[in-house]
Amino acid sequence: MTEIRCIQVAINEQPQTAEVPTRMLLSDFLRYTVGLTGTHVGCEHGVCGCCTVLLNGDAVRSCLLFAVQADGAEVTTVESLTREGSLHPLQAAFRQEHALQCGFCTAGFLMTLIPFLRENPRPSASEIREAVSGNLCRCTGYVNIIRAVQSYVALSRNSP
Ligand code: FES
Ligand code: FES
């Protein structure tokens, strides 16, 4: 018999209460229960990084967590980056530098990079490569992704 648990999670700063099967993945909860389909699911076993979200500010793979493990936590998804129709500067840099083709991997890259850049606002190219080494992209060859991050870093440096 499927066990159901009631959980309370703040998702993108919005408190949510939901009854979920104890074995429901956090990625499925976000996509199918909450309706936030920006979090993509590729491999479903922790390899591709497409499903990356923030759990209490840290990047995690939502396909490797059960929704019940987020009970009482804050979850941040890619949808939080766009405010009032404006792209986050990192998203804008991805667009500007053509850092995506199909875009399937992009949410995972962004949500991996957000906490990385918070901790390391002036990364070298090799540090950026290391930071995204757990995110798989089948389209871009990564060159433009690294360039986008460098462009974002340069812009941030010049911002007041
Ligand atoms: Fe989670 Fe690939 S779908 S790491
Ligand atoms: Fe297609 Fe990365 S842009 S997988």
Side-chain angles (χ1 to χ4, degrees):
M1 197 175 95
T2 307
E3 196 183 333
I4 303 288
R5 277 251 314 265
C6 181
I7 61 170
Q8 292 186 314
V9 195
I11 302 175
N12 301 337
E13 300 178 358
Q14 300 294 317
Q16 308 258 351
T17 301
E19 297 204 331
V20 296
T22 50
R23 295 192 63 78
M24 176 180 255
L25 297 176
L26 179 58
S27 49
D28 289 340
F29 172 68
L30 292 170
R31 288 178 56 81
Y32 302 119
T33 305
V34 186
L36 294 175
T37 54
T39 299
H40 290 169
V41 174
C43 65
E44 235 177 352
H45 61 272
V47 174
C48 73
C50 289
C51 66
T52 302
V53 298
L54 307 188
L55 186 72
N56 293 331
D58 295 324
V60 296
R61 305 206 157 188
S62 58
C63 74
L64 293 183
L65 289 168
F66 293 119
V68 291
Q69 291 176 283
D71 189 18
E74 291 186 18
V75 174
T76 309
T77 70
V78 70
E79 284 87 350
S80 71
L81 298 183
T82 303
R83 301 265 164 136
E84 294 171 6
S86 294
L87 294 180
H88 184 284
L90 184 58
Q91 290 175 303
F94 266 59
R95 183 170 70 176
Q96 179 72 28
E97 299 295 338
H98 307 288
L100 61 144
Q101 288 184 33
C102 77
F104 192 83
C105 66
T106 308
F109 273 89
L110 294 169
M111 299 315 285
T112 298
L113 285 162
I114 291 290
F116 165 71
L117 291 166
R118 190 178 57 222
E119 295 296 317
N120 187 357
R122 305 280 180 267
S124 65
S126 64
E127 287 172 326
I128 299 168
R129 275 191 214 99
E130 172 72 24
V132 299
S133 60
N135 290 75
L136 302 184
C137 175
R138 291 164 190 256
C139 303
T140 65
Y142 295 85
V143 171
N144 288 3
I145 293 174
I146 307 303
R147 193 174 290 148
V149 180
Q150 290 175 312
S151 158
Y152 167 79
V153 167
L155 269 177
S156 314
R157 186 178 287 146
N158 295 332
S159 298

